[in-house]
């Protein structure tokens, strides 16, 4: 369907002529004899273009133009005049007319102008929207998206600078992207502007045009670097009634102020930006959830692994214990014989030693399979950690390894099975001790902190670190890199199981050559808990 | 300790029975051996009185706790010592408690001779 054009002229002849000619070219044409009549028609239906005489009875062209631009800035207006001076034409252009044409006009000229005006009317907004939409789909990362949006805002609104400010977690406005601002001072000043009017804009949910110079405005007179602003739009970025931030667009060099037409375009841009921010936030949340699910999955796999090995271990352990009782018992009985040669005694001692080693392995296996429900005693972390460290203190000192702890006084109580946790802590410090074997500057640092209702305990050493390819295997049962006889590969699996039973988590951060840290998180005791 | 004591050992593995016999012999106690519940019942019926029962938990014809209750019918004041290679003492804590026993009455297999000896000595002293 063709565009709708309103022809306004007090001369019947011109109205008829243009109606006929434009109508022949697929346009829908309506007519009015003066400004008043024209405004009435515009209020009733949407027109894309008005071709109007300047001098008319009742309401003249300029007065009408002003009213049209206020009512619907997207309507293009071509003024025609038979006697007009350049001054009248210029003031018409200033008021937002698309162009003007002198009477008596050449029909071809007016048709060409009509076509161009309609094209512009359409393209102008579509282009801006197209650019922003394109940007929205180009990325879900705000770091990429927002600068593009700011740039498009400048272009569409013929502005000199644009900033997008977003509310962060604690409700403070922060500049997320800005364009056209070379120095930081000016960017910060835009933030001050945003902060000062954000509340107001947010409250009304409506955009704000501030016409400069700003030093005369009491709200901004104290901000030095805002003085260059001649005209400013502050647009609240809303989504479902919630303010997410502010789009601020400024003109500093151009003399003309932002008008209602610009505000409309800012509205379109603003809603697109708000949507993009919302999308990006949703995407980030989704990403976080995926990571959570992956972690949970990994944890489940680990738990399954532990359970399967535990079951197997329990069965094997019982089968081995009886024959081992025989070996150990008879070896001891033989050793009670006084008539043994030194060599025989030595050999028997060796059997004894090896069977004890077997027994230790079986015991570890059993402990592993024993998924005892932990007790829940309220206790201070220090009460568990201190006795554990006392056990290794002598060994650390004689190996010249420094052992430092930092436990804040106000650390909340834990609600745990202290003997099980002692076992975990002992396992971690023993591992660290073994990793630091033979080093001159070996150090182990244990510190604790509270975070979101949890107690975080970090065991850190400056040992050789864990090879990246081993990092995801260290909690697997029987995985060990220690020399034969030095470890069964169950310590960390058992620790993992214990921490999990306590509804906590344990993970490892390590870099080759830099050291290793094990981080345990346990729920802090809540006030309501007994 | 007043003189030789009478001890019943219930254990299905011949090797372990034999070890027990070797450990107990120098202590000069009167040890009687059974390889299961049925045999234990026979020994309990045919003897006057025992001072101590040492029993395995897993037996081919039942479980150690059955042996204990049979034993107690005739030897109410005797001491009990459980000898086991079973992995999970925690899981049967309730049943032990019902029998008036706890973790301290358990000797884990494989054991060292000195642990066996000292536990037997303690048990016999308790039973006096």
């Amino acid at each position: 369907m063709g565009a709708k054009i309103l022809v306004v002229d007090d001369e019947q002849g011109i109205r008829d002529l243009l109606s006929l000619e434009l109508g022949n070219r697929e346009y829908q044409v309506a007519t009015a004899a003066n400004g008043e009549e024209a405004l009435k028609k515009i209020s009733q239906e949407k027109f894309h273009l008005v071709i109007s005489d300047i001098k008319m009875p009742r309401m003249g062209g300029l007065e009408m133009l002003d009213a049209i631009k206020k009512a619907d800035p997207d309507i293009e207006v071509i003024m025609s005049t038979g006697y007009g001076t350049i001054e009248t034409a210029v003031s018409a252009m200033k008021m937002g007319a698309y162009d003007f044409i002198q009477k008596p006009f050449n029909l071809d000229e007016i048709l060409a102008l009509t076509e161009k005006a309609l094209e512009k009317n359409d393209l102008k907004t579509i282009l801006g929207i197209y650019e922003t939409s394109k940007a929205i789909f180009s990325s879900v990362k705000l770091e990429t998206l927002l600068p593009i949006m700011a740039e498009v805002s400048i272009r569409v609104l013929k502005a000199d600078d644009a900033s997008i400010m977003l509310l962060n977690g604690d409700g403070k406005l922060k500049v997320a992207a800005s364009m056209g601002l070379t120095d930081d001072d000016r960017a910060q000043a835009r933030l001050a502007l945003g902060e000062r009017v954000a509340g107001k804009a947010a409250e009304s949910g409506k955009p704000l045009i501030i016409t400069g110079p700003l030093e005369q405005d009491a709200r901004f007179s104290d901000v030095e670097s805002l003085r260059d602003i001649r005209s400013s739009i502050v647009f609240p970025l809303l989504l479902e009634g919630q303010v997410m931030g502010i789009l601020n667009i400024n003109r500093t060099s151009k003399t003309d102020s932002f008008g209602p037409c610009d505000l409309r375009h800012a509205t379109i841009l603003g809603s697109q930006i708000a949507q993009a921010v919302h999308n990006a936030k949703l995407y980030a949340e989704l990403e976080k959830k995926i990571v959570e699910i992956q972690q949970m999955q990994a944890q489940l796999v680990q738990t399954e692994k532990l359970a399967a090995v535990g079951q197997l271990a329990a069965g094997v352990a019982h089968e081995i214990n009886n024959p081992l009782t025989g070996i150990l018992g008879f070896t001891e009985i033989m050793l009670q014989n006084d008539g043994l040669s030194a060599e025989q005694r030595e050999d028997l001692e060796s059997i004894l030693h090896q069977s004890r080693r077997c027994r230790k392995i079986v015991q570890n296996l059993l402990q592993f399979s024993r998924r005892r429900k932990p007790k829940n005693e309220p206790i201070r972390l220090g009460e568990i950690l201190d006795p554990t460290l006392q056990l290794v203190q002598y060994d650390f000192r004689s190996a010249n390894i420094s052992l430092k702890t930092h436990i804040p006084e106000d650390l909340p109580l834990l609600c745990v099975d202290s003997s099980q946790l002692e076992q975990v802590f002992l396992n971690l410090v023993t591992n660290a001790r073994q990793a630091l074997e033979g080093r001159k500057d070996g150090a182990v640092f244990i510190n604790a902190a509270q975070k979101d209702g949890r107690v975080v305990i970090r065991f850190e050493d400056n040992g050789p670190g864990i090879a990246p390819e081993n990092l995801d295997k260290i909690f697997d049962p029987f995985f060990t890199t220690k020399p034969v006889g030095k470890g069964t590969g169950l310590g960390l699996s058992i620790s993992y199981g214990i921490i999990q039973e306590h509804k906590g988590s344990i993970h490892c951060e390590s870099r080759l050559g830099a050291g290793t840290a094990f981080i345990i998180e346990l729920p802090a005791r809540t006030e309501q808990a007994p | 300790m007043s003189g030789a004591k009478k001890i019943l050992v219930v254990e299905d593995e011949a090797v372990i029975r034999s070890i027990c016999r070797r450990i107990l012999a120098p202590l000069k106690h009167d040890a009687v051996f059974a390889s299961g519940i049925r045999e234990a019942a026979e020994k309990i019926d045919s003897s006057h009185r025992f001072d101590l029962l040492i029993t395995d938990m897993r037996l081919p014809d039942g479980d150690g706790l059955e042996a204990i209750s049979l034993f107690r019918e005739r030897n109410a004041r005797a001491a009990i010592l459980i000898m086991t290679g079973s992995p999970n003492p925690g899981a049967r804590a309730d049943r032990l408690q019902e029998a008036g026993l706890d973790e301290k009455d358990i000797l884990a297999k494989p054991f060292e001779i000195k642990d066996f000896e000292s536990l037997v000595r303690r048990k016999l002293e308790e039973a006096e």
Side-chain angles (χ1 to χ4, degrees):
Chain A
M1 206 152 73
K4 284 168 91 172
I5 302 173
L6 180 64
V7 175
V8 192
D9 206 302
D10 54 343
E11 276 182 53
Q12 175 82 41
I14 290 184
R15 291 204 300 271
D16 288 348
L17 171 73
L18 286 178
S19 290
L20 181 70
E21 290 298 331
L22 292 168
N24 282 343
R25 282 162 183 83
E26 300 283 292
Y27 296 118
Q28 301 178 63
V29 189
T31 58
N34 56 56
E36 228 173 62
E37 203 186 317
L39 285 180
K40 204 172 157 199
K41 291 212 163 159
I42 285 168
S43 71
Q44 284 159 354
E45 55 183 319
K46 163 90 188 168
F47 287 96
H48 299 96
L49 174 67
V50 175
I51 302 171
S52 174
D53 195 8
I54 285 188
K55 197 171 180 321
M56 289 176 295
R58 299 183 72 125
M59 185 192 268
L62 289 183
E63 205 184 326
M64 180 200 72
L65 172 62
D66 190 42
I68 288 176
K69 284 292 171 187
K70 274 191 185 129
D72 187 349
D74 282 347
I75 300 176
E76 297 297 346
V77 181
I78 297 171
M79 302 304 271
S80 69
T81 174
Y83 67 97
T85 59
I86 288 295
E87 279 90 316
T88 349
V90 167
S91 47
M93 296 294 284
K94 268 196 177 163
M95 287 167 74
Y98 175 72
D99 209 341
F100 73 97
I101 191 159
Q102 276 211 293
K103 276 185 191 170
F105 46 67
N106 171 328
L107 200 58
D108 286 340
E109 198 182 345
I110 203 157
L111 287 174
L113 205 54
T114 299
E115 210 168 294
K116 264 169 71 186
L118 286 170
E119 232 168 63
K120 177 206 166 198
N121 175 282
D122 219 22
L123 272 181
K124 203 166 53 179
T125 31
I126 287 174
L127 197 68
I129 296 165
Y130 171 71
E131 297 268 355
T132 39
S133 314
K134 216 167 60 178
I136 288 175
F137 290 112
S138 71
S139 172
V140 284
K141 298 250 177 283
L142 284 181
E143 309 90 83
T144 333
L145 208 53
L146 295 181
I148 299 174
M149 298 275 198
E151 203 197 318
V152 171
S153 303
I154 292 180
R155 199 145 23 99
V156 171
L157 293 165
K158 296 178 200 70
D160 297 296
D161 67 72
S163 306
I164 297 168
M165 307 162 204
L166 298 179
L167 285 172
N168 62 9
D170 53 10
K172 283 236 161 63
L173 212 53
K174 282 194 97 172
V175 178
S178 66
M179 278 283 159
L181 295 167
T182 39
D183 61 298
D184 202 45
D185 271 7
R186 288 176 67 217
Q188 283 311 308
R190 300 301 185 260
L191 189 61
L193 177 83
E195 275 165 355
R196 271 156 222 232
V197 290
K200 200 175 163 193
E203 217 172 86
S204 65
K206 286 197 181 101
L208 221 72
I209 292 188
I210 305 161
T211 307
L214 255 55
E215 64 253 42
Q216 281 163 15
D217 194 319
R219 286 174 297 181
F220 315 110
S221 55
D222 59 319
V223 187
E224 192 81 29
S225 28
L226 278 178
R227 298 204 175 146
D228 57 344
I229 295 177
R230 290 179 195 277
S231 184
S232 177
I233 290 179
V234 180
F235 188 89
L237 300 173
L238 296 167
L239 200 95
E240 286 157 7
Q242 288 274 314
V243 178
M244 297 192 296
I246 294 284
L247 167 67
N248 166 234
I249 305 151
N250 302 307
R251 282 181 186 162
T252 50
S253 60
K254 297 182 180 70
T255 45
D256 47 337
S257 300
F258 287 118
C261 187
D262 299 307
L263 202 54
R264 255 185 67 91
H265 295 152
T267 308
I268 296 168
L269 282 170
S271 66
Q272 302 245 348
I273 293 171
Q275 191 61 51
V277 171
H278 185 62
N279 286 352
K281 278 194 180 148
L282 287 180
Y283 184 80
E285 267 169 42
L286 190 68
E287 245 180 355
K288 212 177 109 197
K289 280 270 178 286
I290 290 173
V291 171
E292 264 171 38
I293 289 171
Q294 280 170 344
Q295 277 170 351
M296 263 163 63
Q297 212 169 24
Q299 213 169 37
L300 269 178
V301 169
Q302 193 70 21
T303 311
E304 287 285 307
K305 243 190 247 180
L306 293 188
V309 173
Q311 227 165 17
L312 182 71
V316 171
H318 185 253
E319 288 310 310
I320 288 178
N321 269 343
N322 276 335
L324 205 53
T325 309
I327 298 171
L328 196 66
F330 278 116
T331 312
E332 275 198 280
I333 287 167
M334 283 176 82
L335 277 165
Q336 282 170 350
N337 185 348
D338 294 333
L340 293 173
S341 73
E343 201 181 353
Q344 281 171 329
R345 184 164 292 278
E346 205 176 297
D347 291 349
L348 285 170
E349 295 279 4
S350 177
I351 296 176
L352 190 68
H353 180 73
Q354 296 305 319
S355 1
R356 280 179 182 152
R357 204 177 123 194
C358 286
R359 182 177 58 183
K360 184 75 199 157
I361 294 171
V362 173
Q363 273 171 358
N364 277 336
L365 280 172
L366 288 181
Q367 196 168 39
F368 179 82
S369 70
R370 228 173 269 157
R371 306 216 97 203
R372 188 151 61 89
K373 260 237 149 320
K375 282 184 247 162
N376 274 323
E377 323 154 307
I379 191 166
R380 286 194 1 256
L381 175 64
E383 290 176 68
I384 311 170
L385 198 55
D386 293 346
T388 311
L389 297 184
Q390 259 163 26
L391 289 177
V392 297
Q393 218 156 38
Y394 174 76
D395 183 39
F396 268 64
R397 210 176 302 139
S398 49
N400 235 339
I401 298 168
S402 88
L403 180 61
K404 288 205 180 79
T405 57
H406 172 73
I407 302 173
E409 285 288 323
D410 60 347
L411 197 71
L413 289 181
L414 296 169
C415 209
V416 295
D417 189 317
S418 54
S419 67
Q420 290 192 14
L421 275 199
E422 253 174 52
Q423 195 188 340
V424 174
F425 295 166
L426 187 64
N427 183 252
L428 293 179
V429 285
T430 314
N431 283 349
R433 160 75 183 85
Q434 282 174 337
L436 294 167
E437 185 66 58
R439 282 174 86 98
K440 283 205 184 71
D441 56 346
V444 173
F445 184 59
I446 302 165
N447 78 57
Q450 59 171 311
K451 194 184 112 193
D452 311 328
R454 291 169 88 76
V455 172
V456 184
I457 315 152
R458 194 180 167 92
F459 291 76
E460 202 166 352
D461 68 56
N462 60 349
I466 298 167
E469 68 269 24
N470 287 339
L471 210 49
D472 57 354
K473 293 187 219 142
I474 54 170
F475 293 109
D476 284 358
F478 302 113
F479 178 80
T480 183
T481 55
K482 292 176 189 170
V484 176
K486 289 281 177 192
T488 53
L490 287 174
L492 284 176
S493 305
I494 293 172
S495 300
Y496 188 95
I498 290 175
I499 296 299
Q500 212 180 31
E501 287 282 345
H502 281 83
K503 298 191 172 49
S505 70
I506 177 168
H507 74 275
C508 174
E509 291 167 5
S510 183
R511 253 184 332 125
L512 271 183
T516 302
F518 281 89
I519 299 103
I520 295 176
E521 281 191 31
L522 288 166
R525 191 176 83 118
T526 49
E527 290 305 324
Q528 300 91 318
Chain B
M1 206 185 286
S2 53
K5 301 285 180 180
K6 205 159 176 195
I7 301 171
L8 174 61
V9 179
V10 189
E11 165 64 61
D12 58 330
E13 292 242 1
V15 177
I16 296 174
R17 280 203 303 277
S18 157
I19 287 172
C20 293
R21 183 176 289 118
R22 296 282 290 270
I23 302 172
L24 290 170
L27 303 178
K28 312 274 186 232
H29 293 307
D30 178 9
V32 177
F33 293 85
S35 63
I37 298 213
R38 207 173 308 129
E39 204 186 331
E42 280 167 25
K43 300 276 155 89
I44 291 165
D45 285 342
S46 62
S47 285
H48 287 310
R49 193 179 59 86
F50 284 101
D51 298 292
L52 173 64
L53 167 71
I54 302 174
T55 181
D56 191 8
M57 276 305 264
R58 263 205 238 180
L59 294 163
D61 52 354
D63 126 328
L65 291 168
E66 287 173 46
I68 291 170
S69 64
L70 266 175
F71 179 80
R72 277 191 170 151
E73 280 173 21
R74 303 282 296 264
N75 304 279
R77 299 181 61 186
I80 309 284
L81 175 56
I82 295 167
M83 187 168 59
T84 179
S86 273
N88 204 344
R92 53 161 191 257
D94 288 349
R95 297 183 57 216
L96 280 182
Q97 209 176 7
E98 260 173 55
L101 301 165
D102 62 31
E103 296 295 316
K104 287 196 298 295
D105 303 309
I106 292 178
L107 177 65
K109 284 194 267 190
F111 46 78
E112 308 260 336
I113 291 180
K114 62 173 176 12
D115 294 334
F116 185 95
E117 281 175 350
S118 69
L119 204 51
V120 165
R121 193 168 299 128
R122 207 187 78 210
K123 283 285 164 192
L124 286 173
E125 274 165 19
E126 274 173 20
E128 260 179 38

